[in-house]
Structures are given as C-alpha cells and as structure tokens.
Amino acid sequence: MAELTVRADDEAGLRAALRQALDLGKGLVMVADPLDALHAASQTGDAPGYEAASAALRTKLFSTKRACSSCGTSFAELDPRLFSFNSRLGWCGHCIGTGVTLPFIPKVDEKNRSDEDSTSESIGYMAEKLADSAAREGAAAEADGAQPYEPTPCKHCEGQRLNPTALAVRLRICPLRSSPRCRWANASTGWARWHSPAARRRSRATCWWRSAHACASWVRWAWGYLSLDRAAPTLSGGEAQRIRLAAQLGSNLQGVCYVLDEPTIGLHPHDNEVLLNTLEALRDKGNTLLVVEHDEDTIRRADHVIDIGPGAGRLGGHIIATGRHDELAQHPDSITGYFLTHPLAHPLVEARAPVTEDGKWLRLKNATLHNLRGIDAAIPLARMTVVTGVSGSGKSTLARDVLLANVAAQVSARNQRKTAPPLAGVDAMEGWESITRVLEVDQTPIGKTPRSCPATYVGFWDSIRRLFADTAEARLRGYGAGRFSFNTAGGRCEACAGQGVQTIEMSFLPDVKVLCDLCGGRRFNRETEQIALRGKSIGDVLTMSIDDAVAFFAAHPGIHHPLRLLQDVGLGYLTLGQPGPTLSGGEAQRIKLVTGAGEGEDEG
C-alpha cells in the first residue's frame, strides 16, 4: 500500500508506487480517494467514524490482465483489426460490418473464405452477393408494386458496425462508439486539442500527425459537414469523386507524377476552385501533374497545354498545338484555342416560350431525405430543367432518390394496373400523371465484357443479322440469323468465343487481353465471313464506323435511324463493334441517351 499526492514534479515516485502495487496485487491495483476523512478517523481512534470514512472513499480497480476480477471475463490483446468493420475480429456479427439490418445473412463458400489475417476476399464476395440479392429483391418489389427494401440501422450495434468489445474501448475517456458520428470539422478540432509536447516525445506522435493531417486536409476539401461514418451509397457523385481524389492527393508526397483523367467532371465551380488550388499546391511541392481535361478554368490555369485533334476517332491522333492557353488561341487549326477566344454563343435556337403557372408542372411536397430539409420543388414538364448547387447540397438526392425513384414506381404501377406503392422521401407528388415512361441516363459502362458494343446495346444488330441471313448465299447454305451472332456457337470464332480478344492470365500481374490471332478481332469464323452484303462481310460491318454505316444502311430505316442519332450526338467516329469496356463515361452516356430516345420514338 502506498499513499502519495499526485504532483507533476514527483512522477518518479508515482511510477515506483504503481509498480510496487502491481507486483503485490499480481497485476491488480486499487486507487482510493480522498483520504482526509480516513486520516482524521484513524488519529482519533473512533471506530464508527473510521467505518464512515471508509464508506465515503471512492475506489477504482485497474488491471493489466484484461480480465475482470469479479466475473472472470477476459479479453484478448487489442489488435488493430479489432477496430475494423472489414475484419471478422471487429465487425458486428449480426450485420457483418454493414451497420444495417440485413434481410438475410449471406453465406460464403468455404473456398472464398480467407483466414483472419486476410479477409478482403470473403468481404468482397459477401458484398457482391448482398448487392445482387438486394437488387433482385428491389426489382421484384417494384414489379409487384410494393415498397422496395430500405435499410434500417442494426439494432445490435446501433449502426456502428463494430462488435461490443471494440465499442467498449475508450481513447482519452472518449468511447469509440461516439467517434465515427462526429463531423470532420469537429474531428480536426479534437485532434488539434490533443496535441501536446509530451505527445511529440512518444511513439503515438506519428499516429496523431497522420490523423490530424487527414482531418485538416478533408476540411480544406470542404468536407467539414460529413460525418466519419457516412455510408458510401449516400454520397453524391461529386463527394465520391473528391474522396477518391483525396486518397491520392492527400498523401503529401514529393517527386510524384500524377495522371488525372477529367477530375473536374461533375464538380460545381466552387468545388472546382478547391480542386485546382490543391493541384497547384501539389505542383509547388515538386510534383508533376498530367491532367486530361475539357474544363476551361483548368486549361487556363495549366502551365503547359497539349491540344490533340483535330477530330475524334480516325480523325484525331495529331498534336495540333502546345504551350500556354494564349498560344493555343493563336494557332489556326486549334479548335480548343478558337473556343477559348470565341465562346460559344447561346442559345443556338430560338428561345422557347417562358414557363407559366398555368402550364404542366411536376411538384414535390416536403422532400426530406439525406441532405434535403423538407423542400418543395416544382419541375416544368416539356422543358429542360437543370438542378445545380455545390457538391453535397442534395442535387442527386432530389433528382434520383426522390424524383426518379417515386415517378418510376408510380408510372410502373399505373402501366401494370397495380396498386401504387407509398412515396419514399417526400410527402406528396403532383402532376406526374401525364408521364408515360421514365428513363435514367448515367455514365456507367454499357457492358463489362467485349461482347457489349454500340450495335448490340442500341438494338439494331438483330436487324443487321437478319439482312445477312436474307442474302442468297446464306439461304443456299441454310444459315439463319443466329449464324451471324458472336454470342452463340456456330458462326463465331471459337478461339476467342466471339469476343475478338483473348485473355492471357499473368501470374502476380493483371490479366492481359490481346487481339485474337485466328480471327484478327473480327469475331467470326471463315465460313461466316464468306457471306457478303453489298460487298461487306459481317466482320466488315462490325469494324465499320458509324459515319460510314449511316451511308451503307441508308435504305434500311430501322437501322439508319439509330445510326443517325448516334452520329448526331457526336459518336460518328466509333465503330459498330467497339467493345463496351473501352468506351469513356461520356460515350456510354450518349449511347444510353440514343437508346432511350429511339425507344421513345418507337413507342410514339
């Protein structure tokens, strides 16, 4: 037993007393205070007073054995994986680290399970299966006119994703349970307050510096309003994009070459300014940045510009001009330089009549979801309406989660003559009755394999196959339309299974795709290639550009019309068989736009 007064100048005595108490208590030590009343009772020798003073003591038991002396419950040594919801050691066993109540617990094949040292494969497998099952359930619920599954916080971990052991750990009296829910701005302030000269002398100084630097960087990126446990699906497109950029740009490295492909796409001018300032700060530290961009502000702030053109596809591939943006403007062949000095005059057509209150409107009442705070919105029909604002202000929530989801559900239920599902995220919606179809056009790829191409996605490839099947040579050989499909056996090249490329597996490296050495990327076998339509084989048609195909199929309206739409949206340089994974986000978006426009005209 040791009695002492805790003072800053007597740290050695405190350590010695604590070491002696732990040795005598075999890893247990009890701290009691205050001792003033106990001293007074012991000096007077008054037994009742001594008992009363003992009862007034505040005692606290500490242990170095990670075990409770009363109930015998013990805990393993703390491991960093214990605080990760992506590890079996740390995640909540009821929600598997998702933080939401699952409609089922996904089963994982044993061959996909990894040991406790590496759980990324099993987590990815479970996430993929869960996403697929949720998508199927949501589609089935929408088809039945019911409300799709909406996640609710897990009642066992209260949405914190971690198990009770991890949530019981405290850091400077602050429980881990409350840390993820604070905002980045508050976290940055908290880390700054924890900094002290003593912390710099200990090994945790590096951990503090990294955490404080990360919080400060994210606040500079205008993320102070986000909480640390914000789920990725609830982020807007701009927020998700800036997070991916911050993961690479916030490392504070030097002598690095960064390659960025259109980083400003989808960003508000306010957020664009923050991004450009960050890029310039990286440059000033001695890094090299190569940015592929169309944004005017980015071009004007670049130290050196390389203008490639003059057109797209087979019309491009040449360096037109280099230098500062003002030097591009002096080059007569630079389209970029021309538009930098001669901005496009808007509008290109006569302005439509202004929208009046007596026109048709789609109205939303009290929309409340994610960042939306009970707003009322009115969207004029038969007009183009733009939703704008800074990143994270609720644009995607309003357009997709509220407007698109509810209108699509109501229109689908009406067309199928089913009971309309309840509205989600909004109290009332008026004026949607005149809408007959709802389409979403985004920048997701049109396909993950080379089998997907503009011809198959838009839908006119079936008509082309029938044209080849109707030729005299094809009828003599007994070839049907299926013979000219690269997705079925018979007419396709079996060496590449109709993909035009072969995949070579590389040990410890990503797989490599090379052009098929048998068909040369034409996807069909020699017998199928012998059938010609006005001098062109089916392989020739696949390698034909959209500009050339417009003239070749001019006599076939069902094929010519979608080709002309693709040409009108600026995709004339693409080939009909261009593999889907090689398309950019903008190209995929325009192909989807043409597909929706063509189907809408067909219905009309």
Side-chain angles (χ1 to χ4, degrees), residues 453-467:
C453 60
T456 58
Y457 190 87
V458 177
F460 57 82
W461 184 245
D462 293 338
S463 301
I464 294 177
R465 293 193 294 114
R466 286 193 292 268
L467 287 180

Side-chain angles (χ1 to χ4, degrees), residues 10 70 180 191 214 247 253 287 292 300 321 349 417 450 537 557 564 597 600:
D10 192 23
S70 300
W191 281 109
L253 297 176
N287 296 302
V292 179
R300 292 186 181 277
V349 296
R417 298 183 179 181
S537 67
R564 188 59 182 271

Side-chain angles (χ1 to χ4, degrees), residues 253-424:
L253 297 176
Q254 296 180 4
V256 178
C257 178
Y258 292 96
V259 180
L260 300 94
D261 188 3
E262 300 189 30
T264 65
I265 186 172
L267 292 183
H268 189 272
H270 172 269
D271 306 316
N272 192 16
E273 184 71 17
V274 175
L275 171 63
L276 294 178
N277 292 337
T278 303
L279 295 181
E280 289 185 345
L282 282 175
R283 177 203 60 191
D284 296 339
K285 292 180 180 179
N287 296 302
T288 302
L289 292 90
L290 179 62
V291 183
V292 179
E293 192 55 80
H294 305 281
D295 178 65
E296 180 179 353
D297 293 336
T298 306
I299 295 175
R300 292 186 181 277
R301 292 178 64 169
D303 300 315
H304 188 75
V305 182
I306 301 176
D307 187 17
I308 297 180
R314 57 185 176 85
L315 302 178
H318 304 281
I319 295 181
I320 304 302
T322 60
R324 294 277 300 178
H325 65 87
D326 50 356
E327 298 179 21
L328 267 64
Q330 299 175 4
H331 201 286
D333 296 332
S334 175
I335 299 177
T336 304
Y338 174 80
F339 281 100
L340 286 175
T341 55
H342 302 82
L344 187 65
H346 293 287
L348 297 179
V349 296
E350 296 182 0
R352 293 189 176 185
V355 180
T356 59
E357 289 297 330
D358 55 354
K360 294 184 178 180
W361 293 76
L362 175 60
R363 302 181 186 275
L364 302 174
K365 302 291 186 181
N366 194 28
T368 305
L369 185 64
H370 300 323
N371 292 341
L372 299 181
R373 299 291 184 263
I375 67 170
D376 297 335
I379 297 94
L381 300 180
R383 293 291 188 273
M384 183 177 70
T385 301
V386 176
V387 182
T388 186
V390 298
S391 180
S393 58
K395 304 183 300 296
S396 299
T397 301
L398 176 64
R400 300 184 63 182
D401 299 339
V402 176
L403 182 63
L404 173 65
N406 287 288
V407 175
Q410 299 295 322
V411 172
S412 177
R414 182 195 60 192
N415 294 343
Q416 298 179 15
R417 298 183 179 181
K418 295 181 178 180
T419 303
L423 299 176

